[in-house]
Amino acid sequence: MGEPEAGPRPGFSGRAVAVLGATAVIAVALDQWVKWLSTEHLTEGEPVRILGGLIYLSLLRNSGAAFSMGENHTWVFPVITLVVIGWIGYMATRLRSVPWAISLGLVLGGAFGNLGDRLFRAPGPFHGHVVDMISLFAPYAEKFAVFNIADSCLSVGVCLAVLLELTGRQRDGRRAVRKKAEPAA
């Protein structure tokens, strides 16, 4: 990509870490609130069609990942999630960029939202089923995976991270600058 701007920037920015934390807390709170609303007001097998069928609210309990992949290995997902949470914690010790804080906060919030389901929902710890409720174009993943707010936060956070990387924005707040090619002699 390029060389980062000159000058080391040690440590972290309290502002960036606060944004990361606030973003994660808001993501978890929204995810858990929507899951609570869904389990209280939706009935499995009775999807609710909204926006002319663009979106269906379909209560599902997913033991696997997207499209129910890995259903028989539910213990793997919390372990991977804990590694991701640890990595984000490590990254926070160097974080100085607010856009990166938002990206990592969304991923962290999404990770915690689904981890809570894996740990505290039936059938039991490390095997819990994630509550999903948003289905696009058809009620039960005929056209697209059924997902939840945590999944959305994870997806948006990862897409933002890719965009930040592609535009040369560093987690320490610097921008990578491209070296100009040396003219041939």
Side-chain angles (χ1 to χ4, degrees):
M1 163 100 12
E3 299 286 324
E5 292 173 350
R9 299 182 84 185
F12 64 91
S13 160
R15 179 174 177 234
V17 173
V19 168
L20 184 153
T23 302
V25 167
I26 290 167
V28 171
L30 182 60
D31 175 65
Q32 293 302 304
W33 180 62
V34 170
K35 286 175 179 174
W36 176 81
L37 285 173
S38 297
T39 57
E40 290 294 314
H41 300 288
L42 293 175
T43 303
E44 289 188 55
E46 296 178 20
V48 176
R49 181 180 174 193
I50 57 177
L51 298 175
L54 178 65
I55 299 173
Y56 288 82
L57 300 178
S58 305
L59 182 63
L60 296 174
R61 296 173 197 279
N62 186 357
S63 62
F67 298 104
S68 296
M69 290 186 296
E71 289 180 307
N72 298 325
H73 304 288
T74 55
W75 64 271
V76 171
F77 302 114
V79 172
I80 292 169
T81 302
L82 290 171
V83 170
V84 168
I85 290 168
W87 178 80
I88 292 173
Y90 170 76
M91 293 305 299
T93 65
R94 293 166 170 69
L95 188 63
R96 299 187 64 78
S97 166
V98 171
W100 270 104
I102 293 168
S103 171
L104 293 174
L106 286 169
V107 173
L108 184 63
F112 269 120
N114 284 338
L115 180 63
D117 287 6
R118 297 280 182 207
L119 294 178
F120 301 114
R121 291 196 189 271
F126 284 89
H127 298 283
H129 296 181
V130 173
V131 174
D132 289 328
M133 76 292 297
I134 303 167
S135 185
L136 302 178
F137 313 118
Y140 292 109
E142 290 98 355
K143 310 275 183 190
F144 193 80
V146 180
F147 57 96
N148 58 40
I149 301 298
D151 298 334
S152 297
C153 289
L154 282 162
S155 297
V156 170
V158 168
C159 288
L160 179 56
V162 169
L163 180 65
L164 291 168
E165 279 293 330
L166 290 175
T167 58
R169 297 178 188 271
Q170 307 292 306
R171 285 167 287 287
D172 66 1
R174 296 180 289 170
R175 284 195 78 148
V177 288
R178 294 178 188 251
K179 283 187 166 185
K180 291 184 180 178
E182 297 287 325

